[in-house]
Amino acid sequence: MIFDTHAHYDDPRFDEDREVLLLSMKDRGIGHIINVGADMEGSRRSIALAKQYPFMYCAVGVHPEAAGSFGPGELEELRSMAQEERVVAIGEIGLDYAFFDGMSDEEIAADKAKQKECFEKQLALARELHMPVFIHSRDAAEDTMCIMKAHTAKAQAEGGFRGGIIHCYAYSPEMALQYVDMGYVLGIGGVLTFKNARKLPEVVQAVPLGAIVLETDAPYLAPVPHRGERNDSSLLPLVAERIAELKETDVTNVIHTTEHNAFRVIGVQ
């Protein structure tokens, strides 16, 4: 069964048919889904969904776009939420430098500093609770890698390293191998099927299948031929087929291995 490691079924775009859609997933070959929080309210909704549907897990965290509202109170609530039964990771957390147009150098520097502070505090929480992390990184390759190297070294020194997923991986094959060597896996989704995807096919060819998990980022990033439509987990076979083509293996092997990888990351037998 396919394991979708990153979705946002709490998004309003699923309000009209969420229950019908989720209850159909088993018949469509989807075994498990992790609903991922992007802010405090999204994290709360993710926990509620995971409690409602036994095939769902969840992650709680604050996305870099919401870093400006992250403070001590939010950190304490995350610590409490992270200890709920169905919560398997801290995420999605990270850095996003894609939206600085029109901002002054001072504003950009302040925004980056706030994002890094939010990111590092949530990584520290993951180390404290011995939990894996789901990492969002866009246009911030160098800073993300620097922070992740420090986090990994600290977690390993403390004896609680749990790895995690580099969500929607979008950088070079060389950096991908660095993450894999550090003990992380790469989240691969619909972007792999896009005609303008250049680096990602090279990444999939470069890293071992044991370092890949499937994800949708639903409702975003639907694979071809559904690009631009609302994405959901039932479209993941299209991604698995493309991975199988690039890895010169069969789709069944891709589905089985990536499912195993996902369970390994979240520490579930």
Side-chain angles (χ1 to χ4, degrees), residues 69-90:
S69 60
F70 186 78
E74 285 72 24
L75 181 62
E76 287 307 309
E77 185 178 357
L78 274 185
R79 178 178 284 107
S80 177
M81 287 194 292
Q83 297 175 74
E84 293 269 1
E85 183 180 358
R86 304 294 293 177
V87 179
V88 295
I90 301 297

Side-chain angles (χ1 to χ4, degrees), residues 63-127:
H63 186 285
E65 290 182 11
S69 60
F70 186 78
E74 285 72 24
L75 181 62
E76 287 307 309
E77 185 178 357
L78 274 185
R79 178 178 284 107
S80 177
M81 287 194 292
Q83 297 175 74
E84 293 269 1
E85 183 180 358
R86 304 294 293 177
V87 179
V88 295
I90 301 297
E92 64 184 285
I93 62 175
L95 301 174
D96 195 320
Y97 297 169
F99 302 104
F100 290 154
D101 289 349
M103 295 173 64
S104 68
D105 290 344
E106 292 79 10
E107 289 171 329
I108 291 172
D111 192 281
K112 285 184 176 182
K114 183 60 180 176
Q115 286 192 37
K116 289 177 182 178
E117 179 187 13
C118 179
F119 187 18
E120 290 171 341
K121 286 184 176 179
Q122 291 180 93
L123 288 172
L125 178 63
R127 293 195 300 274

Side-chain angles (χ1 to χ4, degrees), residues 28-92:
R28 299 184 185 198
I30 310 302
H32 293 86
I33 298 167
I34 301 176
N35 206 79
V36 180
D39 54 25
M40 298 304 295
E41 184 55 38
S43 295
R44 297 181 196 109
R45 293 194 301 263
S46 294
I47 291 173
L49 279 173
K51 288 180 176 180
Q52 183 176 356
Y53 299 97
F55 56 88
M56 295 187 78
Y57 298 99
C58 65
V60 296
V62 174
H63 186 285
E65 290 182 11
S69 60
F70 186 78
E74 285 72 24
L75 181 62
E76 287 307 309
E77 185 178 357
L78 274 185
R79 178 178 284 107
S80 177
M81 287 194 292
Q83 297 175 74
E84 293 269 1
E85 183 180 358
R86 304 294 293 177
V87 179
V88 295
I90 301 297
E92 64 184 285

Side-chain angles (χ1 to χ4, degrees), residues 242-259:
R242 180 61 176 139
I243 294 173
E245 178 184 344
L246 291 165
K247 302 298 283 183
E248 298 182 348
T249 186
D250 60 84
V251 176
T252 301
N253 183 40
V254 171
I255 292 172
H256 173 78
T257 304
T258 54
E259 180 187 41

Side-chain angles (χ1 to χ4, degrees), residues 73-234:
E74 285 72 24
L75 181 62
E76 287 307 309
E77 185 178 357
L78 274 185
R79 178 178 284 107
S80 177
M81 287 194 292
Q83 297 175 74
E84 293 269 1
E85 183 180 358
R86 304 294 293 177
V87 179
V88 295
I90 301 297
E92 64 184 285
I93 62 175
L95 301 174
D96 195 320
Y97 297 169
F99 302 104
F100 290 154
D101 289 349
M103 295 173 64
S104 68
D105 290 344
E106 292 79 10
E107 289 171 329
I108 291 172
D111 192 281
K112 285 184 176 182
K114 183 60 180 176
Q115 286 192 37
K116 289 177 182 178
E117 179 187 13
C118 179
F119 187 18
E120 290 171 341
K121 286 184 176 179
Q122 291 180 93
L123 288 172
L125 178 63
R127 293 195 300 274
E128 173 192 330
L129 300 178
H130 295 179
M131 297 184 75
V133 290
F134 292 174
I135 304 301
H136 171 104
S137 180
R138 181 164 47 182
D139 295 351
E142 184 177 345
D143 283 355
T144 305
M145 176 59 79
C146 182
I147 290 173
M148 290 304 294
K149 282 182 176 179
H151 162 71
T152 302
K154 289 177 183 177
Q156 290 173 339
E158 294 164 3
F161 179 66
R162 288 288 310 280
I165 300 171
I166 311 301
H167 159 60
C168 199
Y169 185 80
Y171 300 131
S172 71
E174 292 77 18
M175 184 169 282
L177 290 169
Q178 279 188 272
Y179 276 118
V180 171
D181 288 344
M182 289 162 61
Y184 298 92
V185 302
L186 310 181
I188 305 296
V191 173
L192 182 65
T193 69
F194 294 178
K195 290 182 179 179
N196 61 346
R198 296 182 178 89
K199 288 183 181 179
L200 195 52
E202 295 177 9
V203 168
V204 169
Q205 289 175 317
V207 303
L209 188 56
I212 293 174
V213 292
L214 298 176
E215 63 174 30
T216 54
D217 204 22
Y220 312 104
L221 302 176
V224 172
H226 302 280
R227 187 174 183 180
E229 301 174 14
R230 187 187 73 172
N231 197 9
D232 70 66
S233 307
S234 69

